[in-house]
Amino acid sequence: MRLFYAVVLTVLAALPARAEVDIQEVTSPGGITAWLVEEHSIPFVALDLRFRGGASLDAPEKRGATNLMTGLLEEGAGDMDARDFARAAEGLASSFRFSVDDDALAISTRFLTENQDASIALLKQAVQSPRFDPDAIERVRGQVLSGIRSSAKDPNDIARKTMDELLYGDHPYGSPLSGTKDTVTALTRDDLIAAHKAVLARDRIFIGAVGDITPEALGLMLDDLLGDLPKTGAPLPPRAEVTIPSGTTVVDFPTPQSVALFAQNGISQKDDDFFAATVLNQVLGGGSFESRLMTEVREKRGLTYGVYSSLVPMDLAETIQGSVSSANDRIGQAMDVIKEEWTKAAADGVTQQELDDAKTYITGSYPLRFDGNQTIASILVGMQMIDLPIDYIATRNDKVEAVTLDDVKRVADELLDPEGLAFVVVGQPKGVDGTAPGQND
């Protein structure tokens, strides 16, 4: 069969840490598309696969099925049980990592060039022929249930669970992807087989590869690894209708320090104003010790060790979220300061110095993300999943630099909603009123 490869090259001159990097778009003979960075100086390959949908494909009564199924992919496949599979991976010096979130099931693997065929054959068994042995199911189920019990006693996890319920309601985003004690206990082997078929399908796969492999070899490898998967998986859920409740929800929990999460509606990564919003968030609470929230809540008032905000653009919903912890008698003051800073930013935007400093940080830290082949493969997949152009890495910092003071002020006025800022507080805060929803473990 004649091989056809669509190859697009771009030079990423904007990465001082890597003087020149070429991304190639590769289409396999079987029609599977991947992005590849060839790097032949070191004889190994990093491969990152992601299947869109992830745990959000769970039915409400089967919540936790995709998570449990993912945990079993390396617990026996083909003619190998879990121990044999682990021994085979170690013998090849190959690394396989399986994980899942609400938007995707991810498989990250690294292998030596000389062991490529054997490593891909092993991974193929895990992807296409997991055994779901009864003893393995019960072992991993026990681990998941232990995690669920532990989360029910963790203030941070309780706050996250409560906030997700408030924001997303009945949508899959509104409940923990690990499921509940009841749903996980009730899952059967047939449920796991169904979850495998729903998620691992060719119509939702994104691939990044970096290392010692040619486009031709990658195409053949992908057809061998993935060609026999179902063409289509289960339908993706609809967009989440984000509900921002007014005021504060308090969950009573016996602890000397309260945890508070806050959230409001956010912005899509595809929005033309996303970079202006990124700069705005960096100034407001974007993880730097120089952010306004850190300065006002931590440095000036000593109310907390850390306070953060971030843009949270998921596949089916966008929010801005943040967190702070403080003593029960001081959490209310911390929340008041956060609301004040939200109001100031919405009304006045940011200063020229803040804009310049934020741009310097955002553009300067970007190359540091490209610190290894596995990381780069993951970045390539992430770019594809949000439909970014193949030259995005080379143009991204220019887009940040193009953000103006007026852009940030306009976006702050449009985006930040002090009255729509919802708080969830877990603890026994003093002077903070709220209504605690029920908790389910």
Side-chain angles (χ1 to χ4, degrees), residues 56-126:
S56 69
L57 297 175
D58 287 341
E61 69 277 12
K62 304 294 183 185
R63 193 61 167 146
T66 305
N67 178 61
L68 181 57
M69 180 274 293
T70 304
L72 286 158
L73 289 178
E74 57 182 336
E75 294 291 328
D79 59 356
M80 295 174 290
D81 62 15
R83 186 167 297 180
D84 291 338
F85 186 90
R87 285 175 179 156
E90 290 176 6
L92 293 168
S94 300
S95 168
F96 303 114
R97 187 175 62 201
F98 305 87
S99 62
V100 68
D101 60 29
D102 271 327
D103 284 337
L105 186 154
I107 302 173
S108 300
T109 179
R110 293 184 302 172
F111 49 83
L112 296 170
T113 307
E114 64 186 74
N115 293 334
Q116 174 183 309
D117 291 345
S119 298
I120 291 301
L122 188 61
L123 178 61
K124 181 179 179 180
Q125 294 200 58

Side-chain angles (χ1 to χ4, degrees), residues 312-358:
V312 185
M314 299 177 72
D315 278 0
L316 302 172
E318 300 83 27
T319 56
I320 303 174
Q321 300 195 32
S323 66
V324 65
S325 300
S326 189
N328 284 330
D329 61 350
R330 309 191 75 184
I331 190 70
Q333 185 183 354
M335 293 162 57
D336 288 342
V337 175
I338 291 169
K339 284 184 277 191
E340 289 171 8
E341 292 307 314
W342 224 258
T343 302
K344 289 178 185 176
D348 304 326
V350 303
T351 68
Q352 185 65 52
Q353 187 62 54
E354 288 175 326
L355 175 72
D356 294 341
D357 290 346

Side-chain angles (χ1 to χ4, degrees), residues 409-439:
K409 189 175 190 310
R410 173 177 51 78
V411 171
D413 177 59
E414 295 173 354
L415 186 62
L416 297 182
D417 180 14
E419 297 302 319
L421 197 60
F423 283 86
V424 167
V425 185
V426 177
Q428 295 179 328
K430 296 180 180 178
V432 177
D433 297 325
T435 302
Q439 297 176 42

Side-chain angles (χ1 to χ4, degrees), residues 6-87:
V7 179
V8 180
L9 304 182
T10 183
V11 177
L12 307 181
L15 295 177
R18 299 173 64 87
E20 183 175 309
V21 179
D22 295 334
I23 301 177
Q24 307 176 52
E25 184 173 285
V26 176
T27 301
S28 77
I32 298 173
T33 299
W35 284 9
L36 166 66
V37 174
E38 286 189 74
E39 174 51 70
H40 296 286
S41 63
I42 303 176
F44 83 92
V45 177
L47 182 66
D48 203 90
L49 313 171
R50 231 167 286 179
F51 295 84
R52 188 189 296 281
S56 69
L57 297 175
D58 287 341
E61 69 277 12
K62 304 294 183 185
R63 193 61 167 146
T66 305
N67 178 61
L68 181 57
M69 180 274 293
T70 304
L72 286 158
L73 289 178
E74 57 182 336
E75 294 291 328
D79 59 356
M80 295 174 290
D81 62 15
R83 186 167 297 180
D84 291 338
F85 186 90
R87 285 175 179 156

Side-chain angles (χ1 to χ4, degrees), residues 260-278:
L261 302 185
F262 49 95
Q264 66 142 90
N265 277 307
I267 185 170
S268 168
Q269 282 186 273
K270 296 179 181 178
D271 195 296
D272 291 340
D273 284 329
F274 185 77
F275 286 106
T278 299

